[in-house]
Amino acid sequence: MIVILKHDHNPDQLDSLVAWLQEKGIAIHTSIGEANTILGLVGDTSKLDIDLIAALDIVEDVKRVQEPYKNANRKFHPEDTVIQVGNTQIGGGNLTIMAGPCSVESEEQVVAIAKAVKASGATMLRGGAFKPRTSPYAFQGLGAEGLEFLKAAREETGLPIVTELMDVTQLPLFRDVDIIQIGARNMQNFDLLKAVGHQDKPVMIKRGMSATYEEWLMSAEYVMAGGNEKVILCERGIRTFESYTRNTLDLSAIPVLRKLTHLPIIVDPSHATGKYWLVEPLAMGAVATGADGLQIEVHNDPAHALCDGPQSLKPEAFDPLARKLLALHAAVRSMEGQA
Ligand code: PEP
Ligand code: MN
């Protein structure tokens, strides 16, 4: 349920309304926007008398929210969420470019790639230390040592680091990363979602391979229900009957999520296609469709990469792409009259 307050609402009356709702076990999420202040009510609102609340002096309108996701719902929070990470912001009209190798392979490798992608305009370094691999015989990542190499690359470049958490037991090691990634395979690992909901680092949730928008938003809701509102969604392609590409990039996700939620939306054209030459057209498509950012795999030697070489761009191919993406983003923004 959402309660829209009148502009000139009396703060004392608001305090008594909030206290009354809290006594009934309802959690309240307040969103102060330019147009209105909205109270988002989470909990069992079925017994609340909607007419009674609507009749209060300070209340403009009351609406039931049918969707099962509440904190993630745009009805609860009409303005876009903007997440501050280091010196950059995700959402709010910025284009975030996360780039780096699928797996951290050595300190030299990740530092060299970090320097290259930063020079091209990337705003974050993305690299995997703990890797969810389909085969138990494939390289599983460098683990804790890989996290140290990512931190060394951050030290050298200033780029915030984004890396995947696979298991709750690894969480203490992630205290010093900037964004925790939850991979597609773990999108419905509810214990993991609860754990990252109880800490305060931003969390990027990749879409499960066969997840609907609602299931994906419910995963965001798990994190937000724990008190962590810094959630980012990442579309990375879904499983369809098409086998030419690794997955099928669902560009509809961007405008649909923009309508359903206030959370920032990142697109990963690398895992979506599995082919380096498809990364550019789909990354451009994502920016044209309104994505808040991209996650792109970049490797200095894709032919010898320990993971996902075929979809990785060399730094010399990433460079013109990053520039095109920034130019396209500026053009899209100016067409929207927001630049
Ligand atoms: C990754 O980002 O490295 C990854 C494994 O992606 P996904 O979870 O989307 O498959
Ligand atoms: Mn990868």
Side-chain angles (χ1 to χ4, degrees), residues 190-235:
F190 299 118
D191 285 337
L192 192 57
L193 296 173
K194 283 181 197 166
V196 294
H198 289 122
Q199 56 83 58
D200 65 358
K201 286 193 186 308
V203 176
M204 182 169 71
I205 307 178
K206 299 192 83 176
R207 182 179 187 180
M209 288 181 207
S210 60
T212 63
Y213 299 138
E214 188 167 293
E215 286 163 342
W216 190 10
L217 289 168
M218 287 311 285
S219 296
E221 191 73 16
Y222 258 95
V223 177
M224 300 176 88
N228 185 356
E229 304 205 327
K230 290 178 266 177
V231 179
I232 302 151
L233 299 165
C234 178
E235 162 62 37

Side-chain angles (χ1 to χ4, degrees), residues 151-300:
K151 288 182 211 165
R154 177 178 58 196
E155 194 70 28
E156 290 266 346
T157 58
L159 290 180
I161 52 181
V162 185
T163 192
E164 178 164 353
L165 171 74
M166 283 176 55
D167 191 87
V168 183
T169 56
Q170 297 155 356
L171 198 49
L173 296 171
F174 280 63
R175 221 169 277 138
D176 200 23
V177 310
D178 298 289
I179 298 182
I180 297 176
Q181 173 174 316
I182 300 296
R185 291 154 191 81
N186 269 318
M187 189 205 85
Q188 287 190 316
N189 180 337
F190 299 118
D191 285 337
L192 192 57
L193 296 173
K194 283 181 197 166
V196 294
H198 289 122
Q199 56 83 58
D200 65 358
K201 286 193 186 308
V203 176
M204 182 169 71
I205 307 178
K206 299 192 83 176
R207 182 179 187 180
M209 288 181 207
S210 60
T212 63
Y213 299 138
E214 188 167 293
E215 286 163 342
W216 190 10
L217 289 168
M218 287 311 285
S219 296
E221 191 73 16
Y222 258 95
V223 177
M224 300 176 88
N228 185 356
E229 304 205 327
K230 290 178 266 177
V231 179
I232 302 151
L233 299 165
C234 178
E235 162 62 37
R236 45 78 72 206
I238 48 174
R239 184 65 65 82
T240 67
F241 52 81
E242 183 53 71
S243 57
Y244 185 83
T245 47
R246 185 173 177 181
N247 292 287
T248 297
L249 183 63
D250 177 15
L251 282 181
S252 306
I254 304 161
V256 171
L257 290 176
R258 187 71 71 215
K259 181 178 163 70
L260 301 181
T261 182
H262 50 89
L263 299 172
I265 307 152
I266 301 289
V267 170
D268 169 358
S270 307
H271 291 91
T273 61
K275 298 186 193 305
Y276 75 90
W277 56 274
L278 282 173
V279 170
E280 173 162 334
L282 293 177
M284 298 290 273
V287 172
T289 328
D292 294 300
L294 293 148
Q295 184 186 91
I296 297 177
E297 287 192 341
V298 178
H299 197 283
N300 48 337

